[in-house]
């Protein structure tokens, strides 16, 4: 199966799947590409990553679709922030309850837990990851 890939003006990669998997279908799809496409290429479906976790970090390298790892890291940090959000909210409630009770020991414990959650995006394994698969394996224990 063939696809058309191209770079958009914003630097992202678009993938076009022809309605018909024929030469005519491919030609019809090419004819409908926007005028501002950069470097359109006909490629085999196999060069397109199947895992879309880092879809917004795809970059075109001639006839290949590759991952921009700095952008992948930013996306992963965003994912970690999403995962920590409900945990932080629960700790906020617990902190307020401890404050109402005047429990300074509990407030200090909760504050330490919240700091651990804030620090998950600074995990050095994120910057050390050199592939999207290695990056997806970075899951701080605080979020499990």
């Amino acid at each position: 199966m063939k696809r058309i890939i191209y770079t958009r003006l914003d630097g992202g990669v678009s993938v076009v799947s022809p309605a018909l998997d024929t030469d005519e279908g491919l030609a019809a799809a090419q004819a409908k590409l926007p005028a501002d496409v950069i470097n359109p290429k006909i490629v085999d479906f196999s060069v397109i990553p199947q895992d879309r976790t880092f879809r917004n970090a795809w970059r075109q390298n001639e006839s290949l679709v590759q991952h921009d790892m700095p952008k992948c890291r930013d996306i992963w940090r965003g994912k970690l922030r999403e995962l920590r959000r409900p945990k932080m909210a629960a700790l906020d409630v617990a902190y307020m309850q401890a404050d109402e009770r005047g429990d300074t020991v509990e407030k200090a414990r909760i504050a330490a837990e919240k700091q651990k959650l804030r620090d998950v995006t600074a995990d050095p394994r994120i910057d050390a990851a050199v592939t999207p698969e290695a990056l997806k394996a970075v899951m701080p224990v605080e979020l499990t």
Side-chain angles (χ1 to χ4, degrees), residues 86-110:
K87 293 177 181 283
M88 289 290 277
L91 287 172
D92 285 343
V93 170
Y95 187 90
M96 287 186 287
Q97 291 170 340
D99 189 43
E100 289 172 354
R101 292 189 309 270
D103 189 343
T104 56
V105 172
E106 181 65 1
K107 284 172 49 177
R109 185 196 69 75
I110 293 168

Side-chain angles (χ1 to χ4, degrees), residues 52-71:
R52 297 178 60 86
T53 303
F54 301 109
R55 172 68 177 89
N56 288 337
W58 288 359
R59 295 295 173 255
Q60 182 181 359
N61 183 358
E62 288 303 315
S63 294
L64 296 175
V65 176
Q66 298 177 326
H67 287 91
D68 177 338
M69 284 307 295
K71 215 158 177 58

Side-chain angles (χ1 to χ4, degrees), residues 1-6 15-16 26 40-48 60-65:
M1 295 189 291
K2 299 291 184 184
R3 300 290 187 261
I4 301 169
I5 61 171
Y6 64 86
V15 178
V16 177
L26 207 50
K41 299 282 184 185
I42 297 173
V43 299
D44 191 72
F45 178 73
S46 64
V47 306
I48 301 166
Q60 182 181 359
N61 183 358
E62 288 303 315
S63 294
L64 296 175
V65 176

